[in-house]
Structure formats: structure tokens, C-alpha cells
Amino acid sequence: MMPQLRSLVALLLAATAVAAVAAPGGKPGFVVTGRVYCDNCRAGFETNVSHNIQGATVHMECRHFETQKLHDKAEATTDAGGWYRMDIAGEDHQEEICEVMLLKSPEADCAEVERFRDRSRVPLTRNNGMDQTGVRYANPIAFFRKEPLQNCGELLRGYDLYNDTSENP
């Protein structure tokens, strides 16, 4: 019974997301969703000790790619799973670069923002040759800990990031 209930809940959530994409005037809009996490090792990617941040604030800006004029902006707060959702009404943003950016972390020990790693670009256009809904998924973005956890060195060695077979037999 439980797998069927999960399937029903997932279907209802998907239907709600698709229905929310349409703006009040009937013009289709977009839903932008993504996740915010704490990079406990300052690795620049998620690790086994990363955790999602509840209550983080993100904002999105769409700027014209030539003039940098601001055309749209939105703000959201993450839920218990670290996920945020922004409903963007109306128009296509084909001539704009839209980015979701970190704004504020509720965790004092994981609130550092590293430039250019604090954002994720999101294409908000339907003029790309694909038949699709208006849901857009941004890449996960992270706040950094001021000081990495003590076990991060060992953890990162386990990822074998520097395995160069020419020097190590």
C-alpha cells in the first residue's frame, strides 16, 4: 500500500507544479526549484558530510544579456529539505540571463558565500526546440563553513581526487 500512496503523492505534487506554471492571465510562466546545502568541507561539491539548509534565502534575477537591465526578480526560502520554489509569472526570458543566488543562511557557522559558486543559471525560455513544462531545476548551491570539519581531509582523500597514474603506480 505504501508504494502506491507515494506514487499518488508524487503525481499530485507534479500536477500541482504544472498547474502553478500558468499565470493568472493564462500566459504560461515558470517554476524554478532547487536546493541549498552547507559545504562542511569547503570542497566546492557535495560530500558525505554536506547537509541541506532549512530557512536559507535565495533570490533570482533575470538581466538582459547585453544591457544588464533587470527584467525580473523573485525570492524564496528553503523548506526542511533545503528545497526552494519560485513561481515566475508570464513571459519568456529568452534574451536574459537568469540566475538564482544565495542571499542569507540561518546557520552562523555555515554562512560564507564564495563568489561565482553562490549561483546557478536557469534557462527560462520555451524557445529551445523542446516540448516541455515550465518547471526548471537549478543546480544545488552551497554556503561554506568558516572552518572545515576535522574529518574532511580524510574524507576528501577517499574521493581520490588527485589520482595521477603517471606518478603513482
Side-chain angles (χ1 to χ4, degrees):
M1 185 73 171
M2 284 302 251
Q4 294 155 338
L5 182 60
R6 283 189 201 131
S7 297
L8 179 61
V9 170
L11 180 63
L12 289 173
L13 287 173
T16 303
V18 171
V21 171
K27 281 181 144 182
F30 296 94
V31 172
V32 176
T33 187
R35 193 168 44 82
V36 176
Y37 70 96
C38 177
D39 186 347
N40 285 310
C41 288
R42 301 182 61 84
F45 54 87
E46 289 184 83
T47 64
N48 296 348
V49 294
S50 298
H51 68 272
N52 297 328
I53 299 179
Q54 177 179 1
T57 307
V58 296
H59 73 270
M60 185 192 74
E61 293 182 350
C62 293
R63 295 184 178 275
H64 190 274
F65 70 93
E66 287 180 341
T67 66
Q68 296 301 305
K69 181 181 175 192
L70 182 64
H71 285 264
D72 206 346
K73 79 192 262 195
E75 191 171 297
T77 303
T78 57
D79 64 15
W83 287 89
Y84 60 86
R85 173 196 168 108
M86 292 181 253
D87 295 313
I88 312 300
E91 65 192 68
D92 198 90
H93 296 272
Q94 182 175 341
E95 302 293 320
E96 299 159 21
I97 295 172
C98 298
E99 292 182 310
V100 176
M101 295 166 274
L102 297 172
L103 201 58
K104 184 179 175 191
S105 173
E107 298 181 11
D109 62 338
C110 193
E112 190 173 311
V113 173
E114 191 169 301
R115 191 163 179 211
F116 300 118
R117 288 190 172 181
D118 65 335
R119 61 195 61 217
S120 176
R121 285 193 177 179
V122 183
L124 295 184
T125 182
R126 286 188 173 79
N127 190 17
N128 59 7
M130 296 179 357
D131 186 22
Q132 57 194 324
T133 68
V135 179
R136 300 294 186 268
Y137 295 95
N139 289 327
I141 48 180
F143 286 102
F144 288 79
R145 255 181 91 85
K146 290 179 182 166
E147 295 293 325
L149 298 176
Q150 288 187 351
N151 64 335
C152 285
E154 180 183 337
L155 178 81
L156 293 174
R157 278 190 293 281
Y159 284 112
D160 200 19
L161 299 174
Y162 302 105
N163 185 13
D164 185 359
T165 56
S166 63
E167 294 180 18
N168 298 327

